[in-house]
Each structure stands twice: as structure tokens, then as C-alpha cells.
């Protein structure tokens, strides 16, 4: 059961309050380059990204926000640090939300400036603590508890100004620290939570660390948005997020491919076929389970739950649907035969 939280509205996208867990990412283009940023946003949206954050480090980036907001296929969140005026510009430009750290906005008056702009434009604000930038007076505490206290301070800075449309993150590069921090914060607050393991690393280690940390929290019923933060193209973050949400049984979107690890029984080019099939199905949003199996042992029987699949033999193989063989073809024709059945099913 999902943890009960308040609900936020990001230009029609609901977060928290029982809404499905939202997949988000962050562009890595120069935000001032509107054309490049819009192109990347379109790619992210095609992969299932539902909310995107854009960095706003300077006036040049801020100047592009109105155009980006008007043309983006996704609701956008402006990521602001240090400069309250940039946040005000973003709020007035049609952004769907703001991400700020009240502690680095240069005092209460600057925080109020941002909050007033968010209120006037009905924008939620995400605040959050990061283990790499804790306040000096909290750095001697256990890091999980320090993260909670730092996040509560940020929340209270907004609440004191009568602002409650808040989303919170508590990020650490240490998986166990992050899990503990989120769990402890959730006992004290019902604000929606943005889940992430910060500085998780490159594609493989980062996805594993994120899956462990975010997955544990999702299975606890915690979390309303997720970002798989990777030192990799943001498109990979979106793909990883959907794999995780499917594995947790929370969302069903796009193609899930199951495949065997290969062994001495494998007589076909399983890895080559898998690569081809993954590439061809990458942008399909219809929920389907596809099996790519190396032999009859791991074929239609073990993968009987798959909507469609292939299993190899010696120089040939079979295409099956829900465990029933529907075609036998030469090895070289297996990927094409499988893809034809899938695309026919989607078209109909």
C-alpha cells in the first residue's frame, strides 16, 4: 500500500496523494540552447519520462524558459541554486515547478521572494537535503539523521511563509543512509517524496545502487517520483526507472524483455538477436512481455507467461505466444519473425 501523502499538481501531472509513481529525469543540454533542449525533451518523453528538470544557472538559461515551457512535451521543473531572481523568472515563465534549496538563497527575504512567485503562479516547490552539502552544525551527526533535520529545516522555512505545496528529497550516495533518511522523514511528514540515490555512478553500478535504494523504499510504500541518477545519458535514466517500477509491480509501461543467461546448450546468436530486438522495441509504449530464450529448456515452457517469444534450436528456432508455438523458422529469421508478430498485435 502506498504511503498517504498530500498531492501536488505539476501542470496537470498529479504527484502524491495516491497518484502513480512518476518517472522523471534531467536534461544535460545547455538550457539556453532551446533547440537542443527541446530535442532531448522529446526523446525523453518518447521513452516514458513524465517530468523533466532543467538547470537554470544563469540569466541566459532563464531567458529560454518561457519558450521551453511553451513547447515542451513534458512539464518542466526549474533547478535553481543561489539566485532567487532566477527562481522568480522561472515561476513567471510557465514552469510546472521549482527545485530550490532555501538555505542557499541568501536569507529570509530572498526565500519569501521565491515563495511569493510560486504562490502567484501556483507552482509546487521541491526542497531537499543532500549528504554532500549538509549545514555545518549537522555534519557531526549520523548522516541519515542529519539529512532528515536538514530537510525539515527547509520545509519549515517554506511553511513559515504559509507555503505547503512541497515535495521533498533526502539524497545520499550511500544507499543505506538514503534508505534510513527517507524512512525516518516519512514518519514525521506527509509531503510527497522524490526518491533518488545521488552520485550513483555510471550505468551499471548506478542502476544497481539505485534499484536497491529506491526499490526498498518503493516496496515500503514510500516515494511519489523517482529519478535514477546516472553518469550516463538521461535517456538511460528513464529506461532504468521503468524497469524498476515494473519490477516493483507499480507501473506497467512499454516492453519488458526477459531473456536467459545463455549456457552450453545455446546454439543461436542469442546476444546478437537480443540486441536487435531491444533496439527495435525501444520506443514501443504498449505493455508487453517478450521472451528471448536460447534453447527449448528455457523456451515456451519457462517463458509461457510471455506475450511473445523466441526459443533457439540448432540452426533454427520457434516463435511462441503465451507458451504456444506459432511458427518455426531458420535462425537468421527469428528476430524478424518475432518482431512481425509483435507489431501486428500492437497494430490490431
Amino acid at each position: 500500500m502506498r504511503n498517504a501523502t498530500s498531492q501536488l499538481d505539476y501542470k496537470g501531472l498529479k504527484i502524491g496523494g495516491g497518484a502513480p509513481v512518476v518517472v522523471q529525469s534531467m536534461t544535460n543540454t545547455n538550457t539556453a540552447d532551446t533547440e537542443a533542449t527541446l530535442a532531448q525533451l522529446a526523446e525523453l518523453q518518447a521513452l516514458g519520462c513524465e517530468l523533466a528538470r532543467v538547470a537554470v544557472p544563469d540569466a541566459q538559461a532563464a531567458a529560454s524558459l518561457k519558450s521551453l515551457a511553451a513547447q515542451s512535451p513534458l512539464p518542466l521543473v526549474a533547478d535553481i541554486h543561489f539566485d532567487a531572481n532566477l527562481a522568480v523568472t522561472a515561476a513567471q515563465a510557465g514552469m510546472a515547478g521549482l527545485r530550490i534549496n532555501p538555505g542557499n538563497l541568501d536569507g529570509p527575504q530572498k526565500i519569501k521572494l521565491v515563495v511569493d512567485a510560486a504562490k502567484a503562479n501556483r507552482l509546487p516547490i521541491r526542497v531537499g537535503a543532500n549528504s554532500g552539502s549538509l549545514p555545518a552544525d549537522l555534519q557531526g551527526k549520523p548522516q541519515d539523521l542529519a539529512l532528515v533535520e536538514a530537510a525539515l529545516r527547509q520545509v519549515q522555512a517554506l511553511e513559515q511563509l504559509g507555503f505547503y505545496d512541497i515535495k521533498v528529497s533526502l539524497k545520499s550516495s550511500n544507499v543505506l543512509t538514503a534508505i534510513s533518511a527517507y524512512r525516518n522523514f516519512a514518519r514525521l511528514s506527509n509531503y510527497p517524496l522524490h526518491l533518488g540515490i545521488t552520485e550513483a555512478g555510471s550505468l551499471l553500478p548506478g542502476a544497481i545502487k539505485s534499484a536497491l535504494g529506491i526499490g526498498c523504499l518503493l516496496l515500503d510504500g514510500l516515494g511519489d517520483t523517482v529519478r535514477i541518477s546516472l553518469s550516463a545519458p538521461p535517456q538511460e535514466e528513464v529506461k532504468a526507472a521503468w524497469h524498476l517500477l515494473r519490477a516493483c509491480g507499480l507501473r506497467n509501461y512499454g516492453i519488458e524483455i526477459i531473456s536467459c543467461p545463455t549456457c552450453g546448450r545455446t546454439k543461436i546468436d542469442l546476444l546478437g538477436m537480443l540486441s536487435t530486438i531491444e533496439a527495435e522495441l525501444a520506443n514501443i509504449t504498449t505493455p508487453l512481455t517478450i521472451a528471448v530464450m536460447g534453447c527449448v529448456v528455457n523456451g515456451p515452457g519457462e517463458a509461457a507467461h510471455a506475450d511473445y517469444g523466441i526459443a533457439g534450436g540448432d540452426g533454427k528456432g520457434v516463435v511462441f505466444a503465451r507458451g504456444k508455438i506459432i511458427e518455426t523458422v531458420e535462425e537468421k529469421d527469428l528476430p524478424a519473425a518475432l518482431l512481425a508478430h509483435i507489431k501486428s498485435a500492437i497494430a490490431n
Side-chain angles (χ1 to χ4, degrees), residues 314-327:
D314 191 356
K316 59 179 60 179
V318 298
V319 182
F320 58 91
R322 290 286 172 179
K324 182 179 179 181
I325 295 174
I326 54 178
E327 191 174 1

Side-chain angles (χ1 to χ4, degrees), residues 275-325:
S275 178
T276 297
I277 292 164
E278 283 181 328
E280 287 288 331
L281 300 179
N283 292 324
I284 291 179
T285 61
T286 304
L288 289 173
T289 299
I290 306 302
V292 181
M293 315 303 278
C295 72
V296 293
V297 173
N298 291 328
E302 290 192 17
H305 64 287
D307 295 291
Y308 291 94
I310 57 174
D314 191 356
K316 59 179 60 179
V318 298
V319 182
F320 58 91
R322 290 286 172 179
K324 182 179 179 181
I325 295 174

Side-chain angles (χ1 to χ4, degrees), residues 38-49 73 235 283:
L38 286 172
Q40 189 170 84
L41 287 168
E43 292 175 0
L44 294 175
Q45 191 270 342
L47 292 169
C49 186
Q235 293 88 339
N283 292 324

Side-chain angles (χ1 to χ4, degrees), residues 53 99 126 129-133 143 147 169-175 178 182 195-201 206 209-210 214 227-231:
R53 190 155 40 113
R99 190 278 188 259
R126 177 189 142 200
N130 189 307
S131 60
S133 56
Q143 205 166 67
L147 282 167
S169 64
L170 302 97
K171 291 191 174 183
S172 174
S173 58
N174 183 289
V175 173
Y182 276 108
L195 303 185
I197 303 298
T198 193
E199 299 153 2
K209 289 173 67 175
S210 297
I214 297 172
R227 179 191 176 193
I228 309 293
S229 299
L230 301 174
S231 299

Side-chain angles (χ1 to χ4, degrees), residues 8-346:
L8 304 174
D9 188 326
Y10 283 74
K11 301 293 184 186
L13 176 67
K14 305 297 184 184
I15 292 178
V21 179
V22 166
V23 171
Q24 65 173 279
S25 185
M26 185 171 185
T27 58
N28 62 5
T29 55
N30 178 357
T31 306
D33 186 339
T34 304
E35 184 177 350
T37 303
L38 286 172
Q40 189 170 84
L41 287 168
E43 292 175 0
L44 294 175
Q45 191 270 342
L47 292 169
C49 186
E50 297 168 302
L51 183 68
R53 190 155 40 113
V54 294
V56 188
D58 51 39
Q60 288 74 29
S64 72
L65 295 181
K66 187 172 183 179
S67 179
L68 286 174
Q71 299 179 71
S72 173
L74 298 170
L76 298 181
V77 174
D79 187 283
I80 311 288
H81 291 278
F82 306 111
D83 192 332
N85 293 323
L86 293 179
V88 172
T89 299
Q92 296 171 344
M95 292 286 102
L98 302 175
R99 190 278 188 259
I100 64 168
N101 179 346
N104 65 26
L105 286 180
D106 196 26
Q109 290 306 311
K110 296 294 187 181
I111 297 172
K112 185 177 186 303
L113 195 67
V114 175
V115 167
D116 287 346
K119 285 181 178 179
N121 292 279
R122 299 183 178 181
L123 300 188
I125 293 177
R126 177 189 142 200
V127 297
N130 189 307
S131 60
S133 56
L134 288 167
D137 66 314
L138 296 179
Q139 290 182 9
K141 288 192 170 187
Q143 205 166 67
D144 57 339
L145 301 181
L147 282 167
V148 172
E149 187 167 341
L152 287 172
R153 288 181 186 179
Q154 295 185 21
V155 167
Q156 289 161 4
L158 302 187
E159 289 179 335
Q160 288 170 1
L161 296 170
F163 190 87
Y164 303 95
D165 291 334
I166 300 169
K167 183 173 65 178
V168 181
S169 64
L170 302 97
K171 291 191 174 183
S172 174
S173 58
N174 183 289
V175 173
L176 299 182
T177 296
I179 291 171
S180 179
Y182 276 108
R183 285 173 174 169
N184 283 318
F185 185 87
R187 296 186 184 103
L188 303 172
S189 167
N190 75 332
Y191 286 118
L193 294 174
H194 168 67
L195 303 185
I197 303 298
T198 193
E199 299 153 2
S202 58
L203 181 57
L204 181 59
I208 290 171
K209 289 173 67 175
S210 297
L212 175 59
I214 297 172
C216 283
L217 294 166
L218 290 172
L219 293 175
D220 279 350
L222 302 178
D224 303 282
T225 74
V226 299
R227 179 191 176 193
I228 309 293
S229 299
L230 301 174
S231 299
Q235 293 88 339
E236 300 299 331
E237 297 185 349
V238 177
K239 295 175 189 176
W242 278 113
H243 283 301
L244 178 55
L245 291 177
R246 279 197 300 259
C248 290
L250 294 173
R251 300 286 301 271
N252 191 15
Y253 175 96
I255 301 292
E256 178 181 17
I257 296 180
I258 61 173
S259 59
C260 65
T262 77
C263 69
R265 288 188 298 267
T266 305
K267 303 299 183 184
I268 62 171
D269 178 19
L270 180 79
L271 299 183
M273 291 183 185
L274 179 61
S275 178
T276 297
I277 292 164
E278 283 181 328
E280 287 288 331
L281 300 179
N283 292 324
I284 291 179
T285 61
T286 304
L288 289 173
T289 299
I290 306 302
V292 181
M293 315 303 278
C295 72
V296 293
V297 173
N298 291 328
E302 290 192 17
H305 64 287
D307 295 291
Y308 291 94
I310 57 174
D314 191 356
K316 59 179 60 179
V318 298
V319 182
F320 58 91
R322 290 286 172 179
K324 182 179 179 181
I325 295 174
I326 54 178
E327 191 174 1
T328 300
V329 299
E330 296 297 315
E331 175 184 340
K332 65 181 178 59
D333 297 323
L334 277 170
L338 174 64
L339 292 167
H341 284 287
I342 294 169
K343 292 177 180 180
S344 175
I346 291 170

